[in-house]
Amino acid sequence: MDKIYNYKNKEKEIYKNWEEKEYFKPTIDPKKKSFNKAQGKPFTIALPPPNASGKMHTGNVLMIAIEDLLIRWHRMKGDPTLWVPGTDHAGTETQITFEKALQKQGKSRFSFSRHELYDAIWKFVAENKGQIESQIRQMGASVDWSRYTFTLDAHVIKTVHETFKKMVEDGLVYRSNYMVNYCPKCGTTYADVELKHGERHDPLYYVKYERVVKEKGHQYISVATARPEPIAEDTHLAVNPKDKKHKELIGQKVLNPLTGKEMEIIGDEFVDPEFGTGIVKLSPAIDKNDYEVALKHKLPINEILELSGKMTGRYRGMSVLDARKKAVEELEHNEKIEKVDEKYVHTVTLCKAGHSIEPMIMPNWFIKVDEPNKSLKKPALDAVKNGDIKIYPKWREITYIRWMEEMRDWPVSRQNVWGIQIPIWYQVDGHEGRIAVSFIDRQKRQHNGPLRQWLDEGFSFEEIEEGLQQIIVPQYEAVGNNPKWIVSQEKPKDGRWIQETDTFDTWFSSGQWPLVTLKYPDSEDFKYFYPTSVMETGWEIIRLWVSRMIMFGYYLTGEKPFENVYLHGIVRALDGRKMSKSLGNVINPEEYIEQYGVDALRMGLISGTANGKDFNFPKDKVIAYKHFANKIWNMGRFILLMIDQLEKDMPAFETLDKTSLHAEDTDIVRELEALVKTVDTELEKFRFADAGEAIYHFMWHTLADKYIESVKQREDKDIALSVLMHVYVTCLKLLHPFMPFITEEIYQKLGYKDADSIMIAKWPTAQYKR
RNA sequence: GGCCAUUUAGCUCAGUUGGUUAGAGCGUUCGCUUCACAUGCGAAAGGUCAAAGGUUCGAAUCCUUUAAUGGCCACCA
């Protein structure tokens, strides 16, 4: 053995050997089945799929380290163990990345038809997919590659379509105009939970509205607003009816400062009397509160923004910011601005890419989450409340419970191309004037407008369909007005139909991950391994993802999708701040693997993650565990050296006569037994760091520092060595799930004969009771 | 504004249902080329456990209040 453990190159070689020998494939024992606690049952994890076109970050490393630890532990214990790998198409994120690359080439998505763009992104993802896959291997993840799943695999798409169809049939799907969060830059809508917030300075304008009936000295009333651009389209103001200062304004009229049209003042309690002047203007088309008030009071909702993000109405064609400037100019010109508060700071809503979100009213597909008798959220909420699904750490439960209690209907359509297209078809015949299309014709020109217009201009329906980019089918509230739609995976044959161009929200498909990885509904895997054992992921996606998986699990199978949820903390940068490109503090795991090895990186991260709290990247611990790797390597070297020097054969530990043992021998064996027990109980409680550190301390400070030192003095070296070997190999086995590569390497070198690989060696059991 | 968490050694953090002298890693100091390992060995210094009050035979741990820090959610005209 070399003097120093050299992990480079070794790790790859070892992994290749494991994979070739198919150690990652589960051994299916029909007697050990899910729901069969008495005879043992399978242990299953579906790997939370990383972005297929991305690369490994520290969070992924931690995730793999924890899951591989659990998987290897159970596999060694003899449970049928399955870990299914996969990657996610990551709809919006990938499309944004791709479009940025397009932009560098001076192109944009608008020069592609829908299917050209889809094919191009597919190619882009296929080219980049290899990286994350090889990094998963590099981490030592003992996943079963023969069951690898990509979220756009044919069987996944089929399942997702069928789930949607079932939901339509169960009356859980509806189409509605709704105030959605629209990002004009991304060209798509976002669910509330996908957004972030930022602070911004904007001038707050106090705008004067002339009264129709003037009271003494009160010619005007004043309204504070940061968004003057929709004023021309506004029709109402509002005050709080409980506000003594202003309640008599209810029912009175003022003049629109831009158009001079009469506006009525209504009363609603949503108005905060303390903000601004206590009087607000209502712009229902671009503000969530205003929208709700408008619905409640049946006020007109005048469109202000188009899908492109451009204004319509008085400032048609302008950007929001230009329209704002123009509106301020006009107001100033007419002397309608009383004062401006330049220090006003308010929060603005941003999409993941950091663009400003505009609330807009759009037709959208929704999933009802709390339909009586068919509630999606009720079983998902109850399961956690009554402990059927356990969440670790427990204090995270409250986040989940609160979210589920407040959960609203889920908008699932996204105006992205990169995703699973919604299997809805609209009837074209008789509705040509109502369906708006954008498409690329055969001369590569782009057109935009009502379908009828293009048909009248001589484009064939086939040509339009072929070059289609997007359709918008309006949803009018009056029944009978709207094009008929049906849910179908194939194009209907009778007459002309056009497919919805929207795709599903990524979480709609990844929400079915535990199902699709096991090839729900009728595969052997599904019957044998479902429900899975642990869902291990970062706490940040408990609402986005975990909640959806639980809902889908109960909805489709009547069973929970997993028994336990373990939520790990977020790995922060060395400086304690969140990693971000702009701060330049992002830790690249590659560098640490290069410098310290995979084992040290994994073990370091695991020991840093004590109780699910966020933690700073534990660089010191990674270094410490690199030293530890070297330490155990040298322990192995020493044992081999001593055996070599031994004049007789070393007796097997099992055959040793108890009376020949020294006190230090029985002590170390007893301490070893205690360690085995500690490791098992800590792992059962998801206390990974405690289990790992227990092994570390025993091996270094008890086994090496004390016992090995005593062995050096022994006359009966054969017996001492036999005990030492037994204790050492047992420790290696305990350590293997934490540090798989080095333990395998040493195990092979020792030539210990209970198995060809430490992976299939038996997990130690504590025999002695203390 | 609501909620969740955090505050323990110079630094980063463990400390599970309250139980003897409060632990780790890194750092610091002193001494070691002991033939497995200097990525090492042996020793040592260093903490009124954020503050105050309470419960208890006993509190870092439970309760109350306060302060500071971080995060999530809601609202923001």
Side-chain angles (χ1 to χ4, degrees), chain A residues 323-341:
Chain A
R324 190 170 303 165
K325 265 187 221 158
K326 183 77 181 159
V328 172
E329 232 169 68
E330 286 192 59
L331 289 168
E332 271 173 347
H333 182 76
N334 298 340
E335 296 177 353
K336 297 291 188 192
I337 295 188
E338 185 186 64
K339 61 174 178 176
V340 183
D341 177 0

Side-chain angles (χ1 to χ4, degrees), chain A residues 29 35 51 215 263 271 277 291 298 365 376 383 394 401 440 478 518 520 531 547 555 593 597 665 721:
Chain A
D29 177 350
F35 308 113
N51 182 343
E215 290 173 20
M263 299 171 71
V271 180
T277 58
Y291 179 69
K298 300 199 165 41
W365 291 98
L376 293 176
K394 191 159 171 57
I401 288 170
I440 305 280
L518 295 177
Y520 167 83
S547 66
Y555 175 63
I593 290 170
D665 300 334
L721 267 176

